[in-house]
Amino acid sequence: GPNAAGAAAGKVFAEVVALGERHGGRPETLAGLAGVGDLVATVVADHSRNRRAGEMLGAGVGAAEIRAALGQAAEGLDALPLLAVAMRAGRVGCPATAGLAAVVEGRVSVEAWADGVTAPSGRAQRRRRVALAGRE
């Protein structure tokens, strides 16, 4: 749903920014027209191949079936696993991106990935435990 999509977008974008910074890129470049601007256009455009591919992936359709159904390239399906490899090679923490790549590759279910993406971070979980312990 929209909450999982928003959580995923935020986490994946943060990981991409970290990769860009690791390689000398500036965050404002990624936040500009060629980064977030293009991403938003792709997400909101009804005719976008990558949007349709993402919707199909979210519905549990495998990457090979998506490619056949679209009849044309959806760059995100091919680029995402490569992005995860580049992040790991650059020693950039990328749990959201690597998990999504695993979905594309058919190694993880969409539901399992979405549960992980929407779960509070370890830091948030620790703060919550501390706050609850203080109430006892």
Side-chain angles (χ1 to χ4, degrees):
N3 289 336
K11 290 182 178 183
V12 170
F13 187 71
E15 293 170 3
V16 169
V17 168
L19 178 65
E21 289 179 320
R22 174 67 54 108
H23 291 283
R26 296 180 4 218
E28 59 269 23
T29 301
L30 293 166
L33 292 176
V36 173
D38 185 56
L39 178 63
V40 170
T42 297
V43 170
V44 300
D46 289 334
H47 63 279
S48 165
R49 297 181 308 266
N50 284 301
R51 175 184 173 161
R52 288 196 316 266
E55 289 171 345
M56 293 172 77
L57 189 66
V61 179
E65 296 169 85
I66 293 170
R67 287 181 185 98
L70 292 178
Q72 53 187 323
E75 301 86 353
L77 293 176
D78 296 323
L80 191 59
L82 298 173
L83 176 61
V85 168
M87 289 176 159
R88 286 190 295 267
R91 297 188 178 173
V92 172
C94 61
T97 304
L100 188 52
V103 171
V104 168
E105 295 169 334
R107 296 181 289 115
V108 173
S109 74
V110 172
E111 296 80 13
W113 176 74
D115 286 346
V117 164
T118 58
S121 68
R123 184 181 308 167
Q125 289 173 346
R126 285 188 297 278
R127 281 191 300 236
R128 186 173 297 124
R129 281 195 300 268
V130 168
L132 291 174
R135 292 181 187 169
E136 295 174 358

